[in-house]
């Protein structure tokens, strides 16, 4: 991963953390992360870590399943 890409990831993570931590208290606690096969697992892990660092303690994963055809 290049330095600019890593710096961009850090910036995005900090921005997500800021948004999540500024949400009203009644919104915190639960979050559902939705995705499909195109969502890289490393990104899912980063999102989950950021949620944990905010006040989200109940994290669920949901996937979009496409029918074979």
């Amino acid at each position: 991963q290049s330095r600019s890409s890593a710096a961009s990831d850090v910036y995005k993570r900090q921005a997500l953390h800021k948004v999540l931590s500024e949400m009203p208290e009644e919104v915190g606690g639960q979050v559902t992360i939705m995705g499909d096969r195109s969502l890289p697992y490393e990104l899912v892990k980063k999102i989950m870590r950021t949620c944990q660092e905010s006040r989200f303690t109940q994290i669920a994963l949901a996937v979009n399943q496409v029918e074979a055809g």
Side-chain angles (χ1 to χ4, degrees), residues 2 11 17 33-34 37-38 40 43 51 59:
S2 70
Y11 173 77
H17 187 279
I33 301 168
M34 294 184 67
R37 288 180 190 235
S38 67
L43 179 57
C51 290
I59 302 170

Side-chain angles (χ1 to χ4, degrees), residues 8-65:
S8 177
D9 284 352
V10 169
Y11 173 77
K12 289 175 188 175
R13 194 161 169 254
Q14 289 172 340
L16 178 59
H17 187 279
K18 182 178 185 322
V19 168
L20 293 175
S21 64
E22 291 177 353
M23 294 180 88
E25 192 67 36
E26 61 272 8
V27 175
Q30 297 180 17
V31 66
T32 301
I33 301 168
M34 294 184 67
D36 57 25
R37 288 180 190 235
S38 67
L39 185 63
Y41 181 67
E42 288 300 315
L43 179 57
V44 173
K45 287 181 9 181
K46 288 177 183 179
I47 293 169
M48 291 174 68
R49 187 176 333 117
T50 301
C51 290
Q52 289 173 331
E53 291 171 356
S54 302
R55 44 178 195 267
F56 292 87
T57 56
Q58 298 175 15
I59 302 170
L61 299 175
V63 297
N64 295 325
Q65 188 172 15

